[in-house]
């Protein structure tokens, strides 16, 4: 998973999902919710919602896990998650350019 958190060692995966944490490489890899394949959550009344899946796309109905991602624990506590593992990048270089105006970029 490409998520790189500044608070690693102090944060938990369930909390990162509940806040949709982006980490310090958010611009490069996108939000954390795009790497969540499935979830299991416990509601306030003790009911367990099993939304675990190992496939990336599921068109069988509402995507309930998206409600829990970013809900900050209001809807329930995330107890299990299937997270997409990606390969490590070969290139780690960053290039910064300075131009006088946007038209010169084009």
């Amino acid at each position: 998973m490409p998520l790189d958190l500044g608070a690693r060692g102090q944060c938990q995966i369930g909390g990162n999902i509940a806040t949709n944490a982006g980490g310090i490489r958010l611009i490069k890899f996108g939000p954390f919710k795009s790497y969540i394949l499935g979830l299991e959550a416990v509601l306030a009344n003790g009911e367990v919602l099993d939304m675990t899946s190992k496939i990336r796309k599921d068109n069988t109905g509402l995507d309930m896990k998206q409600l829990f991602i970013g809900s900050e624990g209001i809807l329930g506590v995330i107890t299990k998650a299937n997270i997409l593992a990606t390969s490590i990048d070969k290139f780690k270089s960053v290039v910064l350019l300075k131009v006088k105006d946007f038209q010169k970029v084009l």
Side-chain angles (χ1 to χ4, degrees):
M1 140 180 103
L3 186 67
D4 188 8
L5 299 167
R8 74 178 145 257
Q10 299 174 352
C11 57
Q12 304 290 324
I13 289 293
N16 294 331
I17 296 169
T19 58
N20 195 20
I24 57 179
R25 295 192 286 180
L26 172 73
I27 302 298
K28 184 174 183 180
F29 294 108
F32 195 28
K33 71 179 182 178
S34 60
Y35 295 94
I36 305 299
L37 298 176
L39 290 177
E40 179 184 272
V42 178
L43 303 179
N45 64 359
E47 183 182 349
V48 177
L49 287 179
D50 186 7
M51 301 168 282
T52 55
S53 175
K54 293 181 181 174
I55 57 175
R56 193 163 198 176
K57 185 170 180 174
D58 187 4
N59 291 344
T60 59
L62 292 174
D63 193 5
M64 294 294 290
K65 74 177 184 294
Q66 294 298 327
L67 290 175
F68 285 89
I69 299 171
S71 70
E72 302 206 3
I74 294 172
L75 301 175
V77 177
I78 297 169
T79 56
K80 189 185 295 184
N82 292 340
I83 302 171
L84 179 67
T86 59
S87 60
I88 297 174
D89 284 343
K90 294 178 186 177
F91 306 105
K92 295 185 180 184
S93 300
V94 176
V95 176
L96 297 174
L97 300 173
K98 180 180 177 182
V99 294
K100 292 188 180 202
D101 61 20
F102 185 70
Q103 294 303 321
K104 294 191 180 198
V105 173
L106 300 175

